[in-house]
Amino acid sequence: MFNQIKCFTGRIRRQFGSMSSQRTRHFVNPKPDYETSFGFPEIPSAEIISSLDSIILKIENGVKPTEKNASDGIYLGTAGITYMFYHLSKIQTLLGNKEYLNKAIEYLKPALNVASCVSSKNTDMPSFILGNCGIYAVASAVYKAVGDETRSEHFMSCYYKAANICKEQNFLSCGSDELFVGRAGFILGALWLSNETGTPIPKQDIYEMCKVILKSGRTYAKRHQSPCPLMYAYYQVEYLGAAHGLCSILQALISVPGYLDANPTDAVDIKSCIDFLLTIQSSEGNFPAATDEIGRTSELVHWCHGAGGIAYLMAKAYLVFGEDKYLVSCKRMSDLIWEKGLLKKGPGLCHGVAGNGYVFLLLYRLTNDPKYLYRAIQFYKFLGTGEFQSGARTPDYPYSLYEGLAGTACYLADLTSPMQASFPFSDVFATFSVK
């Protein structure tokens, strides 16, 4: 698994790392922006559900629940499709709870077959997005939903067996702190699992992990004379965006209940890093993909790199610290996404239209401003146009959760119930208990 992850993340860097020379990364948005004269946006629920049914059929025909299709965790594998069905089962407007959960288990089984509760020496196990831990978290939530407490608790136990691995400061040579395979992913996964199952997070384990992240970030920042007190590298690149970078690490830290109050010195450093990111937000609202691109125009308006992912950190910072500057930053990102977020890379979450559309649902929940709901609806409608269908690239994994239609299905489903909408594993409004 580790070699697969290394190759995969290398491909991410080549695809998204430095592409400012490409000037046609997005479709021109053909729609006028919202005006109050439009009235309150009407959600076309029946149309969306019809589109959703069509997407689900494509996924079921395109990806069979087999072990061959189960590798690369929730990002590309069948466990990601399991998450989609589980997510859909919770949305009351869809009225398909039992059917969706049955499908979730069907796609979960091959993923569990390729994962196992392996020894503590296996450094791949803690990987949340690309490896075993994400599969275990989704399994625990699904079995909880169908009333199988024994299996739910078993896979929760499998999940937390990885905690001790994560506490080793350099358990991965490529970088141990980011979202996909590192500690930030483990923490955000633990918080999601707690919220879904109603089980308090293990305070000691998660607080210790936060301490290791702080130590790791301070050590690296001091060694490399970074402009903020915490900095991290993944494969020698100081990423800033959600997929591998600083913003998801900070989001994980400020999401852990009680940690900032219990550790005021850490809180100061964390907030200083968030404020540093504010200083490098461009005039149009975007952020560089990595520190080596600071000062250059970034064309990457994605969830993985750029405004589409950093919005979640700033939204959480606004909720935690209550300072308007973070909300202002979110609104600037939303405006940029409205202009440049109809990506030609496809319909998915990581670097596609649905991933960017989720930012509008985030802002709608934050502000209750109908402008953001209108924008989210227009992004959905664009997905069905001939321009998008003929001009967008087909993703390498066209049915997967992060690159393909499974993530798009989550977006469409959330659009029918926007005040409960949340990007997968990144609900900034969730509250948690600790034990």
Side-chain angles (χ1 to χ4, degrees):
M1 176 69 77
F2 182 74
N3 288 334
Q4 292 173 348
I5 291 171
K6 184 174 182 180
C7 293
F8 183 79
T9 50
R11 180 166 65 85
I12 287 176
R13 178 60 176 172
R14 291 195 298 275
Q15 284 185 339
F16 309 135
S18 296
M19 287 187 155
S20 60
S21 62
Q22 296 188 21
R23 300 302 179 185
T24 57
R25 301 182 62 82
H26 61 90
F27 297 96
V28 174
N29 191 337
K31 294 290 185 178
D33 204 356
Y34 178 76
E35 296 181 8
T36 55
S37 61
F38 293 176
F40 192 84
E42 181 178 351
I43 300 172
S45 295
E47 177 188 323
I48 292 172
I49 292 172
S50 177
S51 299
L52 184 60
D53 289 342
S54 176
I55 287 174
I56 292 171
L57 184 60
K58 289 180 181 178
I59 293 170
E60 290 182 304
N61 288 334
V63 178
K64 300 302 180 183
T66 65
E67 291 184 23
K68 178 182 177 182
N69 297 323
S71 59
D72 289 321
I74 56 178
Y75 189 94
L76 298 178
T78 60
I81 296 174
T82 294
Y83 171 86
M84 177 202 74
F85 280 119
Y86 171 73
H87 187 77
L88 269 54
S89 76
K90 299 188 299 174
I91 299 176
Q92 293 183 351
T93 50
L94 303 182
L95 302 176
N97 180 280
K98 185 176 180 180
E99 179 184 351
Y100 288 139
L101 287 175
N102 288 339
K103 283 293 183 180
I105 292 175
E106 186 178 342
Y107 278 86
L108 175 64
K109 288 179 179 179
L112 290 174
N113 288 342
V114 301
S116 61
C117 289
V118 293
S119 73
S120 61
K121 294 181 180 180
N122 189 315
T123 56
D124 297 340
M125 187 181 172
S127 170
F128 184 69
I129 302 296
L130 289 177
N132 288 4
C133 269
I135 297 171
Y136 297 144
V138 171
S140 181
V142 169
Y143 282 117
K144 176 78 173 184
V146 299
D148 191 334
E149 296 285 348
T150 300
R151 282 194 174 96
S152 178
E153 291 175 5
H154 168 71
F155 289 113
M156 188 182 301
S157 175
C158 288
Y159 187 91
Y160 282 110
K161 282 183 179 180
N164 287 332
I165 303 174
C166 294
K167 293 175 189 176
E168 298 176 16
Q169 184 164 344
N170 297 307
F171 77 94
L172 289 174
S173 60
C174 58
S176 303
D177 297 289
E178 55 83 76
L179 176 66
F180 274 36
V181 298
R183 281 182 281 266
F186 187 91
I187 290 174
L188 288 174
L191 295 175
W192 178 83
L193 182 56
S194 170
N195 189 57
E196 297 302 308
T197 61
T199 305
I201 64 169
K203 178 178 178 179
Q204 181 174 348
D205 280 338
I206 300 301
Y207 276 32
E208 285 180 22
M209 209 171 296
C210 290
K211 281 292 185 184
V212 176
I213 291 176
L214 268 292
K215 181 180 179 181
S216 174
R218 287 181 179 127
T219 300
Y220 183 93
K222 183 176 181 180
R223 184 187 307 130
H224 294 270
Q225 298 181 320
S226 298
C228 57
L230 305 172
M231 187 54 68
Y232 306 86
Y234 188 60
Y235 284 103
Q236 292 81 52
V237 179
E238 295 174 2
Y239 288 109
L240 299 173
H244 302 297
L246 180 64
C247 84
S248 286
I249 297 170
L250 297 174
Q251 183 184 336
L253 292 170
I254 65 174
S255 297
V256 175
Y259 184 80
L260 298 182
D261 291 337
N263 299 275
T265 301
D266 291 351
V268 169
D269 284 351
I270 292 165
K271 191 172 186 297
S272 294
C273 291
I274 300 172
D275 291 343
F276 162 74
L277 287 173
L278 286 181
T279 68
I280 60 173
Q281 186 174 17
S282 70
S283 58
E284 67 172 359
N286 207 13
F287 294 84
T291 57
D292 60 1
E293 298 180 12
I294 292 176
R296 306 207 306 261
T297 300
S298 176
E299 299 294 328
L300 303 178
V301 186
H302 305 165
W303 169 80
C304 48
H305 299 291
I310 295 180
Y312 297 92
L313 168 64
M314 295 305 172
K316 188 65 178 180
Y318 173 66
L319 294 171
V320 170
F321 301 114
E323 297 181 23
D324 285 343
K325 61 186 179 181
Y326 303 118
L327 180 59
V328 170
S329 176
C330 285
K331 290 179 177 179
R332 290 174 62 197
M333 286 184 264
S334 172
D335 291 343
L336 169 68
I337 290 168
W338 176 250
E339 294 295 327
K340 296 185 176 182
L342 292 171
L343 299 177
K344 292 186 176 182
K345 277 188 170 290
L349 298 179
C350 187
H351 36 275
V353 174
N356 279 338
Y358 258 117
V359 173
F360 302 137
L361 294 177
L362 171 70
L363 266 292
Y364 181 59
R365 290 187 68 181
L366 275 177
T367 67
N368 291 308
D369 187 336
K371 171 174 68 176
Y372 298 113
L373 179 58
Y374 168 86
R375 289 177 171 181
I377 293 169
Q378 298 310 314
F379 266 42
Y380 150 70
K381 289 185 174 180
F382 187 79
L383 287 170
T385 64
E387 182 180 8
F388 180 79
Q389 296 295 326
S390 63
R393 177 193 151 202
T394 299
D396 294 338
Y397 295 84
Y399 307 106
S400 64
L401 179 61
Y402 278 83
E403 288 192 2
L405 289 176
T408 311
C410 293
Y411 176 63
L412 267 60
D414 276 339
L415 193 52
T416 68
S417 186
M419 291 309 291
Q420 286 75 48
S422 63
F423 190 95
F425 313 108
S426 195
D427 186 358
V428 302
F429 301 95
T431 57
F432 314 99
S433 58
V434 297
K435 64 178 178 181

